Amino acid sequence: MSTGWRRRDFLTVFGGGMAGIALSPLPWKLLDDAAIWTQNWSWLPRLPRGEISTRYGRCTICPAGCGLRADIVNGQAFRLTGLPNDPIGGGTLCPLGIAGHHLRYHPARLRGPVEGGRIEEGGTGRDADARSLPLDEAIARLAGWINELQDVGASQTIAILDARPGRLLSEIYRRFSASLGAHYIPARTGGFSSDVLHAMGSAPLPTLGIDLAGIRTLLSFGAPVLDDWGAPSCANQFDRYAGSAGEGTTSSAALLIQVETRPSATAQRAGLWLRNAPGSECALALGLAHVIVHEGLYDRTGTAGQLLDGDGDARPSSGDPLNQGAAVGSSALCGYRELLAHYPPEQTAQLTGISSATIRDVARRFATAGPAVAIPGQDPGGGPLDPQAQQAIWNLNLLTGALDRRRGFVSRRALPLPQRLADAPGGAVTSLSHVPDGSLRMLIVDGALPDHALPWELLTRKLARHGARLVSLSPFRSGLARHAALRIPAPAPLEFWEEVPTPWDAPTATLAIAAPLAEPPRGALHPSALLERIAKLLGMPSPGGDADYLMLLRERAAAVFLTARGHVHRGRDGRRVPLDDYDSAEAFWQELAAGGCWIDDADKTVARLGPARRAFLDPSQPTSWDQGIASAPSAAGYPLTLMPFGPRSMAGEEALPPVMAKLYRESHLRSSPEDVHVHPETARRAGVEDGLPAWVETPAGKRRFQVQTDPAVHPAVIHIATGPAPASFGDLPQEEYPAVLELLSPNEKGVWRMTPARLRPVEC
Amino acid sequence: MSRNTTHRVRYGMAIDIDRCTGCGACMVACAVENNVSVPPPPAGDRKGLTWIRVYRLHNERPYPESRTAYLPLLCQHCGHHTPCVSVCPQHATDIDPETGIVSQIPERCLGCRYCMAACPYHARYFTWWDPVWPAGMEEIFNPDVSPRMRGVVEKCNFCHGRRQVALQRAAAEGRRQIRDDEYRPACLEACPVGAIHFGNLDDPKQELYDLVHGERAFRLLERLGTEPKIYYLSSQPWVRRLLHNGIPASRRHPDGGRPDVAALRHQQVLARDPRAEERRRS
């Protein structure tokens, strides 16, 4: 018997060994090690190391200015959270604020001045098409352009567009414009607008805020009360107004009646949603007023009573007030009564698509379940209501006494100015719609992130046809900056000392200071410093009174301190401290710089209309009703109405924190600006299908969108989101973005919320 | 409810769908807290990366009955027959016996994605791309959470890094336990309407205990018996009908999205007419 190894033995031992090894932990260990090894490459980002500290401050991305707590490592904020019990943010931050510290790393961030590359020159507005230039050269270039226009006596063709009016920087813009003889144009705020209200009065009215917590019935004409994260000064109204409509949910303490054509989140969560026909807000407001006046439900003790019943004892004893205008003897009131006489509930029902019974019920509820207010809201993407509709809505408030009492609309005091600015008043304020078309040869656009959309068409019609220059101070090369011939970037949010002035809807004056959480890049320059240097180059007086911006902020805080009113909501512990408890203006400043928020005492004086009241019910003030009530525009061959919409602070093409943008994009949590929302029946009639592309055509052009059918959409309407634009996410090619704003045709009043449109399958 | 583990704490969550406004703050806060990378734009709802995703629910009814709700969907931290744990060949995912948290160890993960296939909630996400962020953003990473490499699966771990920090702080103060208010996930902290509640499901003293034992509470796919530790709260019958049968899909890419669009359509039919299923079967 041979003892030598045969081939079979060798194979048996080898195979057995291999099988044994395979069944042993060894291969799994190797696999495990290989997995760990392949996941620790040198290019994996390294975590920052160091001691973690905490700072308190304010967010300045939007006008709200919520309080924030920043966790810092190596001098950089890596986590932002809301301040507990913050009077503005309510203890949390919105998604923009949570990722606000990411904004400075946005791919579209400008780190120094650039020129060229604008869309009008065939560029894309991106860095690759632009030329960098030193800061000094950029300032000299801008000063030279201004000087050119001054030399030919064309200073009035220069304008500054302030993206966020109300700041100290706005005062500096106004003074610079006044010295130059240029226009100062404040951008529209994103919430309810009281511009028309102020135009209605024949004498100056106090600044109005709204106390949403103090009212029982809120009649909102499209205001995004429960969309996204609420209005600036009242971020969280959920507990008060939401949940009353859901099946089986408990009713809330206050009733929200939402008048809106679009099935928005607010509409679907409101206690009562009135889906009106497009453009019928004015008719509905007049119809409600008809019922209130006809049934004598108006506030007889206030201004409405004095106007409708006559001054003093001239009150009618009985009968229909609609037919007693002559007794009062006011032609304005006669006109108003005549106007209302055309809007009985049955007629209004035909115009609005809302039943006459509902109109009567809502009018009675609004007039009797007070305190009640009506808000002429505006969608951040869809823009404001027509001035006629706004006037009709403000008159509803007048009828029910909402402008005569302390709940609902309240007057608030203005923030005091630093002494050096108070001594030299700023120049006049010009509305964009009042700037003659084709008159501007230079437009300087402020760099604050706007909280609403602004169609480029609205600006281009104001610019001269040839040779007009747009200068952007935005820290990002997105939005309007893509059209700019010269871009001089300002520091991004959270990179510079900034002020959080009173939000437009706050019931009392507030002031907070946002201390910087990071250093701005070397090429960035704050607009106040930019204007200061230009003023020096041009030999003009200093717009900031020879003080830098930080000094002006300190002086404003000192001016507030001198009022000795109100209290400070401390950032670090949320405690309320009376202003009197601070020893000095410096101590007050330090508290503000650490995230504190000063809140004024309530203005106890009621927002009396005074001598202005006569003009209120006058249908010819400020707009003429002779031209007919505003309604959806029509054009032959365009059977539908295009109504754009957008979320606050994301309604345009502005930069967003990358991580937030990518999450929204992936989850489709927000309607994409590439989608068109239509009723299924509308889609069927147009021959387009859900999920497939279709052309949306308006008189201004056509774009391709993806059809999304939704049975809640009004059959005569198509909705398209104005933002957030895909390019907001980073380096996406801007030219692929089917911007709906380019399909709109703003009218002469600057209203773009309705445009005639039609749908076509892509085959056409 | 099964009690087959000996957890000292059984962390869980209750999410009030009736309060959720769909703002997405929870998604953003989660991504910032956990250093979730930013994949390139082609990443859609199928290949995107997030640990919590908010889905929009719609009852598909015309005006005036149209209603919308939002469903934040994250790892359900199943407590029984946890599907992902049982299929993982690498023990890269496991239940922490101390807390009941279903953890994920990316360094051990092979990227086979069995766990993703097994997860009935589609709450796990695969990193299809190298983790990238805009230039310079590494300096603002959360120092308590390591970024993950391409080719691994990620998911919610109830902000485990925050728990570790809270434990360290407690240890520094000579305590062995952390207080309830010391450990809160980022999504809860960010929710502006207080829709998210977190705590120990076994502690009757906590508000969470009452919420999850209330009439409004339900869990997704309860019939599978996986004992999720995420409870949802809603009084709206159409929401409960819709979610009782599964989880929703994105409406935008129904053919490519997840989960099954046919299931979603089926749910929507049921939402409109709860007896449709019975008629179909008969």
Side-chain angles (χ1 to χ4, degrees):
Chain A
M1 186 175 170
S2 168
T3 57
W5 277 61
R6 292 176 299 175
R7 182 169 171 268
R8 180 180 293 272
D9 296 332
F10 178 79
L11 289 175
T12 304
V13 170
F14 182 77
M18 288 297 105
I21 290 172
L23 293 173
S24 77
L26 182 62
W28 304 104
K29 170 67 176 165
L30 289 174
L31 205 57
D32 199 17
D33 287 351
I36 293 171
W37 179 67
T38 58
Q39 288 160 26
N40 284 286
W41 297 108
S42 58
W43 60 78
L44 259 183
R46 299 290 168 209
L47 293 174
R49 294 293 176 207
E51 191 173 342
I52 296 175
S53 59
T54 300
R55 281 162 65 183
Y56 300 93
R58 315 297 299 187
C59 172
T60 52
I61 296 175
C62 88
C66 301
L68 63 83
R69 171 194 148 125
D71 291 330
I72 312 269
V73 63
N74 291 339
Q76 302 286 341
F78 68 90
R79 180 193 292 135
L80 304 182
T81 48
L83 288 181
N85 305 319
D86 183 64
I88 294 176
T92 55
L93 295 175
C94 70
L96 276 167
I98 291 168
H101 55 308
H102 291 190
L103 257 181
R104 63 195 304 253
Y105 302 98
H106 195 284
R109 177 71 199 278
L110 287 169
R111 302 194 173 273
V114 292
E115 69 171 351
R118 66 196 188 110
I119 291 173
E120 289 71 13
E121 293 168 351
T124 60
R126 305 169 76 184
D127 280 348
D129 306 311
R131 185 178 77 84
S132 297
L133 67 168
L135 192 53
D136 290 340
E137 189 182 330
I139 295 169
R141 182 77 48 87
L142 177 55
W145 288 349
I146 294 174
N147 200 21
E148 279 175 24
L149 293 173
Q150 276 183 314
D151 286 348
V152 296
S155 295
Q156 76 283 359
T157 65
I158 303 172
I160 296 179
L161 180 64
D162 184 0
R164 195 174 296 173
R167 301 167 292 172
L168 267 182
L169 181 57
S170 309
E171 294 297 323
I172 293 173
Y173 282 145
R174 284 180 65 184
R175 279 157 181 76
F176 183 83
S177 306
S179 304
L180 202 59
H183 295 288
Y184 165 76
I185 305 171
R188 207 188 297 269
T189 54
F192 83 88
S193 169
S194 58
D195 294 349
V196 170
L197 174 71
H198 288 268
M200 287 161 69
S202 56
L205 291 169
T207 307
L208 288 184
I210 183 167
D211 178 14
L212 282 179
I215 57 180
R216 282 180 60 204
T217 304
L218 177 62
L219 178 59
S220 158
F221 286 79
V225 181
L226 298 176
D227 280 58
D228 303 311
W229 36 91
S233 72
C234 39
N236 186 356
Q237 291 297 321
F238 188 87
D239 282 333
R240 186 153 182 82
Y241 291 108
S244 56
E247 300 165 64
T249 54
T250 56
S251 63
S252 57
L255 176 67
L256 170 63
I257 303 171
Q258 183 76 359
V259 179
E260 191 166 9
T261 308
R262 186 173 71 88
S264 67
T266 300
Q268 298 194 49
R269 289 174 177 277
L272 180 60
W273 172 27
L274 304 180
R275 190 182 70 173
N276 60 313
S280 64
E281 288 85 1
C282 185
L284 180 61
L286 292 172
L288 294 174
H290 176 103
V291 176
I292 291 170
V293 174
H294 179 78
E295 299 187 3
L297 300 175
Y298 52 90
D299 177 26
R300 290 180 180 271
T301 60
T303 306
Q306 292 171 16
L307 291 172
L308 289 171
D309 297 342
D311 287 321
D313 298 329
R315 185 174 300 172
S317 54
S318 61
D320 182 359
L322 276 178
N323 298 322
Q324 295 183 7
V328 179
S330 160
S331 60
L333 291 182
C334 287
Y336 186 64
R337 291 171 197 279
E338 284 172 17
L339 185 67
L340 294 189
H342 291 97
Y343 290 88
E346 290 71 22
Q347 174 74 15
T348 309
Q350 288 181 11
L351 294 170
T352 61
I354 299 167
S355 72
S356 56
T358 303
I359 291 170
R360 283 196 178 88
D361 288 347
V362 169
R364 288 167 189 156
R365 163 87 199 204
F366 181 69
T368 57
V373 296
I375 302 179
Q378 60 172 294
D379 185 278
L385 293 171
D386 189 276
Q388 279 185 344
Q390 293 187 46
Q391 185 175 359
I393 294 163
W394 283 115
N395 276 338
L396 271 181
N397 286 313
L398 187 72
L399 288 175
T400 54
L403 292 166
D404 289 328
R405 58 168 177 260
R406 287 183 190 164
R407 287 183 179 175
F409 293 106
V410 292
S411 65
R412 67 162 188 255
R413 303 182 189 95
L415 275 178
L417 283 174
Q419 194 58 45
R420 71 177 74 223
L421 295 186
D423 293 342
V429 176
T430 311
S431 164
L432 183 61
S433 56
H434 291 152
V435 175
D437 288 354
S439 67
L440 296 182
R441 294 172 65 182
M442 178 182 290
L443 179 62
I444 301 171
V445 183
D446 172 54
L449 298 179
D451 63 346
H452 62 284
L454 181 64
W456 173 234
E457 163 71 16
L458 264 180
L459 292 181
T460 47
R461 68 169 58 159
K462 304 297 177 189
L463 297 176
R465 187 162 293 217
H466 301 291
R469 291 184 174 116
L470 192 136
V471 178
S472 168
L473 309 185
S474 170
F476 305 98
R477 52 173 165 72
S478 55
L480 293 177
R482 296 187 305 118
H483 302 275
L486 178 63
R487 307 169 210 164
I488 304 176
L494 311 177
E495 283 184 350
F496 198 76
W497 288 96
E498 195 48 274
E499 171 195 40
V500 181
T502 312
W504 45 262
D505 57 350
T508 58
T510 62
L511 176 68
I513 300 294
L517 294 176
E519 286 287 319
R522 282 189 170 185
L525 187 64
H526 194 266
S528 63
L530 173 69
L531 296 190
E532 197 72 36
R533 290 181 63 176
I534 290 175
K536 252 182 205 162
L537 286 172
L538 298 177
M540 291 162 49
S542 162
D546 293 318
D548 67 17
Y549 197 58
L550 182 56
M551 192 185 296
L552 288 172
L553 292 179
R554 282 176 171 272
E555 289 181 5
R556 173 169 259 191
V560 168
F561 180 75
L562 288 176
T563 64
R565 289 193 314 263
H567 65 274
V568 176
H569 190 94
R570 289 208 312 213
R572 60 181 183 274
D573 56 10
R575 282 186 54 202
R576 283 169 56 117
V577 181
L579 191 61
D580 294 340
D581 286 6
Y582 291 91
D583 298 335
S584 62
E586 178 60 23
F588 175 58
W589 165 261
Q590 293 297 339
E591 196 69 86
L592 292 182
C597 178
W598 172 76
I599 301 173
D600 195 4
D601 293 332
D603 186 359
K604 297 288 173 59
T605 59
V606 175
R608 300 266 177 221
L609 302 177
R613 69 174 189 262
R614 282 283 176 203
F616 266 83
L617 296 177
D618 186 349
S620 66
Q621 293 288 336
T623 56
S624 171
W625 302 84
D626 300 338
Q627 298 164 3
I629 299 301
S631 58
S634 59
Y638 296 92
L640 302 172
T641 301
L642 167 59
M643 297 185 75
F645 67 99
R648 192 162 69 80
S649 302
M650 300 189 295
E653 303 170 13
E654 302 303 327
L656 297 174
V659 73
M660 170 194 176
K662 84 109 188 173
L663 288 169
Y664 273 25
R665 183 182 65 229
E666 290 171 6
S667 67
H668 312 301
L669 190 56
R670 289 285 172 279
S671 295
S672 166
E674 296 160 320
D675 293 341
V676 54
H677 300 267
V678 296
H679 191 278
E681 181 59 23
T682 310
R684 190 191 62 76
R685 269 192 261 122
V688 300
E689 289 184 38
D690 186 25
L692 296 179
W695 292 107
V696 173
E697 298 178 2
T698 71
K702 71 174 187 178
R703 294 281 186 281
R704 186 172 155 152
F705 295 88
Q706 199 91 0
V707 174
Q708 299 290 324
T709 57
D710 182 346
V713 171
H714 194 288
V717 173
I718 56 178
H719 296 292
I720 301 175
T722 57
S728 306
F729 307 154
D731 270 342
L732 279 182
Q734 186 76 32
E735 56 270 25
E736 291 180 7
Y737 168 43
V740 67
L741 289 175
E742 294 170 12
L743 293 180
L744 308 176
S745 305
N747 65 18
E748 66 283 355
K749 300 171 194 164
V751 177
W752 66 86
R753 57 195 306 272
M754 292 179 293
T755 301
R758 66 183 171 215
L759 268 177
R760 289 281 175 86
V762 285
E763 291 77 23
C764 299
Chain B
M1 185 180 302
S2 76
R3 305 284 176 131
N4 57 350
T5 54
T6 56
H7 307 139
R8 285 196 297 181
V9 180
R10 205 165 60 95
Y11 285 119
M13 198 174 263
I15 301 176
D16 194 335
I17 295 177
D18 294 347
R19 292 185 70 85
C20 179
T21 60
C23 70
C26 51
M27 287 197 304
V28 177
C30 171
V32 172
E33 175 71 23
N34 294 296
N35 297 336
V36 173
S37 60
V38 184
D45 58 354
R46 208 158 57 86
K47 291 189 174 178
L49 189 59
T50 178
W51 292 10
I52 176 172
R53 178 168 286 172
V54 181
Y55 289 89
R56 186 165 45 186
L57 311 176
H58 196 273
N59 68 350
E60 297 291 322
R61 302 298 298 271
Y63 172 85
E65 291 145 20
S66 167
R67 293 285 181 271
T68 297
Y70 296 93
L71 175 76
L73 187 69
L74 63 162
C75 171
Q76 303 289 300
H77 294 277
C78 303
H80 186 59
H81 292 314
T82 312
C84 54
V85 172
S86 59
V87 300
C88 180
Q90 280 290 92
H91 296 295
T93 182
D94 206 351
I95 300 185
D96 181 354
E98 291 284 317
T99 61
I101 296 173
V102 178
S103 60
Q104 178 77 17
I105 309 166
E107 286 81 6
R108 297 184 68 90
C109 178
L110 283 172
C112 67
R113 290 181 279 152
Y114 283 174
C115 56
M116 290 177 67
C119 177
Y121 304 101
H122 299 274
R124 292 175 156 266
Y125 296 87
F126 187 68
T127 49
W128 290 91
W129 288 274
D130 275 328
V132 289
W133 289 264
M137 240 178 84
E138 309 86 56
E139 59 190 27
I140 57 164
F141 276 177
N142 181 356
D144 299 324
V145 181
S146 299
R148 280 74 54 191
M149 187 53 189
R150 178 175 66 174
V152 299
V153 172
E154 299 186 14
K155 69 165 206 73
C156 162
N157 58 14
F158 279 159
C159 290
H160 190 256
R162 289 189 171 209
R163 182 166 181 272
Q164 293 302 319
V165 171
L167 285 170
Q168 287 171 12
R169 192 176 298 129
E173 295 172 2
R175 288 181 285 125
R176 300 187 66 180
Q177 301 290 333
I178 55 175
R179 292 189 298 267
D180 293 340
D181 61 344
E182 280 184 311
Y183 168 39
R184 303 195 316 158
C187 54
L188 177 149
E189 201 171 64
C191 182
V193 292
I196 302 177
H197 306 265
F198 178 77
N200 181 3
L201 291 169
D202 293 337
D203 185 357
K205 293 195 290 285
Q206 293 196 5
E207 183 194 9
L208 181 70
Y209 188 89
D210 294 334
L211 288 174
V212 303
H213 289 91
E215 288 183 355
R216 298 173 64 227
F218 64 95
R219 293 183 288 186
L220 298 181
L221 299 179
E222 284 199 80
R223 64 178 183 275
L224 296 183
T226 55
E227 300 288 344
K229 289 194 277 294
I230 308 295
Y231 289 76
Y232 292 93
L233 311 175
S234 179
S235 303
Q236 302 190 62
W238 73 269
V239 171
R240 297 175 67 98
R241 279 198 300 271
L242 191 68
L243 296 180
H244 181 69
N245 292 281
I247 55 174
S250 161
R251 291 192 63 238
R252 183 147 181 262
H253 295 300
D255 49 346
R258 58 181 181 169
D260 185 3
V261 69
L264 176 69
R265 296 290 185 210
H266 182 59
Q267 291 154 19
Q268 288 165 348
V269 169
L270 289 178
R272 281 194 290 269
D273 182 0
R275 295 191 177 172
E277 177 70 2
E278 293 170 20
R279 284 202 299 273
R280 188 182 66 82
R281 286 184 177 166
S282 63

